[in-house]
């Protein structure tokens, strides 16, 4: 794997681990909590996070909107913590394997998302990292400000 991708995955490993640790402070009953009307519940946010690594990889590979919709329908876990954690690890590992299989030329090749965004596969990987960190921050804020819990989970090294 490319040395730059290894660095990203070193950081992503820590991010995924911290999300699992945040999940370990929750109960299945917490998953239905919806802090803001018309926004995701804690369980919906976690279910989205569980599949986003693989979904973003598919977007970078040029998947159509229909293909992505099918992926979400088939892959989003039911709202229980064990299923979500298992799906998160499966989809994260799929991202790592998919990126590791790309040559440097393939990493630098630009692809176009179904909505028109154009990035190299490496840039899509950076976007995936930012996307995951964004939702991890939302999850942490939900725990602290809505559930009034201090999870004591390290988010950065």
């Amino acid at each position: 794997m490319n040395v730059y991708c290894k660095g990203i995955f070193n950081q992503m490993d820590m991010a995924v681990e911290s999300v699992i640790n945040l999940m370990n402070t929750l109960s299945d009953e917490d998953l239905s909590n919806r802090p803001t009307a018309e926004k995701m519940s804690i369980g919906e946010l976690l279910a989205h996070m569980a599949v986003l690594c693989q979904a973003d990889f598919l977007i970078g590979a040029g998947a159509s909107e229909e293909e992505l919709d099918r992926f979400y329908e088939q892959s989003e876990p039911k709202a229980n913590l064990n299923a979500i954690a298992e799906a998160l690890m499966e989809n994260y590992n799929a991202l790592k394997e998919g990126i590791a299989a790309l040559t440097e030329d393939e990493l630098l090749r630009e692809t176009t998302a179904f909505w028109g965004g154009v990035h190299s596969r490496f840039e899509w990987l950076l976007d995936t990292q930012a996307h995951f960190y964004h939702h991890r921050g939302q999850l942490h804020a939900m725990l602290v400000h809505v559930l009034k819990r201090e999870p004591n989970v390290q988010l950065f090294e």
Side-chain angles (χ1 to χ4, degrees), residues 119-137:
H119 297 295
S120 70
R121 295 300 300 274
F122 182 73
E123 289 172 308
W124 286 118
L125 176 59
L126 290 172
D127 189 61
T128 301
Q129 181 185 31
H131 188 184
F132 194 82
Y133 275 50
H134 162 71
H135 288 311
R136 182 182 65 169

Side-chain angles (χ1 to χ4, degrees), residues 87-108:
L88 172 59
M89 294 310 300
E90 283 178 19
N91 287 293
Y92 178 55
N93 287 329
L95 171 67
K96 287 171 83 171
E97 291 169 11
I99 292 295
L102 298 176
T103 66
E104 191 151 335
D105 285 343
E106 290 169 325
L107 277 171
L108 298 176

Side-chain angles (χ1 to χ4, degrees), residues 22-35:
L22 289 169
M23 288 174 60
N24 288 337
T25 71
L26 295 168
S27 69
D28 284 335
E29 291 74 35
D30 292 325
L31 299 179
S32 62
N33 192 309
R34 185 177 307 279

